[in-house]
Amino acid sequence: MHSIGTPADVEQASGSEGTVSFTVKGSGETLALDNCAAIVAGYTGRNAHAVQEHIDELAAIGIAPPPQVPMFYPVELASVTSSESVSVVGERTSGEIEPLYIRHGGRYFLGLASDHTDRELEAIDIPRSKAACPKPVGREIIEIPDLSTFSLDDARARSWVDGELYQEGTLSNLRTPSNVIELLIENHGRNDEDFLCLGGTLPVIGGAFKYGTEWKLELALDENTILTHTYRITEGN
């Protein structure tokens, strides 16, 4: 076992401490978020039966079922980083590609992120496992012109670990962006405040976590609109 702590030496995406900055693809606009909520959405599958099967599988290995579906796990804004090098505590941590939903000044944006998680701690305490690792994000985002009609069903997501393909597929099995955001706002008192929300992921190829060093993420909305990010992890104390 290893010691449990908060992310070590996390570098902000850019800007001052407590501020996360992004660049809007196409316009070049800089978006700076500070004092906003950072959230990881879990159990966001669109098929309720499949989600329940997954919950039952986790329960069989000792992971307690969530009190509600989907779940929204708060994390520190300071853990959100677009640095190409991030520090983690422990050897059994791994990432997963996720769409990143952003609300800033009443406008909505899409980015990509990795829900890097402590897998040993996840078996004991899921909220702490989410908070124990940095949340890498890509610097580039796109603006969502109309959240009510915005779809990621045809978007293709891929991730690689140390050059080996780890995840691949569309996001059609996830709840829609508008549904995830609506539930977040309605059930968790987000009202008009800015937030960052990781929106869920797709299965890993082969069904087993990998614990590599270099993680590459790619989210393609079409052949001309592709968001990417690569990061390497180092083990801290």
Side-chain angles (χ1 to χ4, degrees):
M1 292 294 290
H2 59 267
S3 62
I4 301 303
T6 55
D9 302 323
V10 171
E11 179 182 334
Q12 289 296 315
S14 62
S16 61
E17 183 178 356
T19 300
V20 183
S21 296
F22 300 93
T23 300
V24 181
K25 194 175 180 68
S27 71
E29 176 186 0
T30 297
L31 212 69
L33 289 85
D34 56 8
N35 299 318
C36 73
I39 303 131
V40 176
Y43 305 100
T44 57
R46 195 176 299 183
N47 184 315
H49 178 70
V51 171
Q52 187 58 52
E53 283 187 341
H54 179 57
I55 291 171
D56 293 342
E57 290 171 351
L58 294 176
I61 60 173
I63 299 178
Q68 64 184 51
V69 174
M71 278 293 295
F72 295 95
Y73 303 101
V75 297
E76 294 292 331
L77 181 61
S79 70
V80 179
T81 175
S82 65
S83 172
E84 295 179 356
S85 177
V86 299
S87 178
V88 299
V89 176
E91 298 178 353
R92 292 185 176 270
T93 71
S94 66
E96 294 173 331
I97 186 171
E98 306 212 1
L100 177 68
Y101 305 134
I102 301 169
R103 185 170 70 179
H104 177 62
R107 300 159 66 193
Y108 289 97
F109 301 85
L110 172 74
L112 87 166
S114 176
D115 180 17
H116 212 92
T117 298
D118 184 316
R119 301 302 174 184
E120 288 186 350
L121 185 54
E122 187 175 37
I124 303 169
D125 189 321
I126 293 178
R128 287 180 64 202
S129 76
K130 301 297 182 185
C133 293
K135 301 303 176 192
V137 298
R139 290 181 184 273
E140 280 197 320
I141 60 176
I142 64 169
E143 184 163 10
I144 299 174
D146 184 349
L147 181 64
S148 65
T149 60
F150 184 69
S151 174
L152 289 176
D153 285 5
D154 295 327
R156 296 200 65 84
R158 294 193 293 175
S159 71
W160 294 261
V161 184
D162 294 339
E164 181 179 350
L165 188 64
Y166 185 53
Q167 295 172 281
E168 182 175 33
T170 70
L171 300 181
S172 58
N173 289 327
L174 293 182
R175 290 174 180 263
T176 63
S178 60
N179 181 242
V180 172
I181 291 172
E182 178 183 2
L183 290 171
L184 173 63
I185 293 172
E186 287 184 355
N187 298 333
H188 298 274
R190 296 304 169 195
N191 299 319
D192 296 327
E193 77 174 290
D194 293 350
F195 61 73
L196 308 168
C197 179
L198 282 70
T201 193
L202 62 162
V204 301
I205 296 171
F209 294 128
K210 295 186 185 301
Y211 305 108
T213 299
E214 182 180 80
W215 298 78
K216 180 180 177 181
L217 317 173
E218 178 185 277
L219 179 60
L221 278 69
D222 54 51
E223 62 181 13
N224 297 315
T225 309
I226 302 174
L227 301 173
T228 64
H229 183 56
T230 299
Y231 67 98
R232 296 180 64 85
I233 62 171
T234 58
E235 189 174 344
N237 297 316

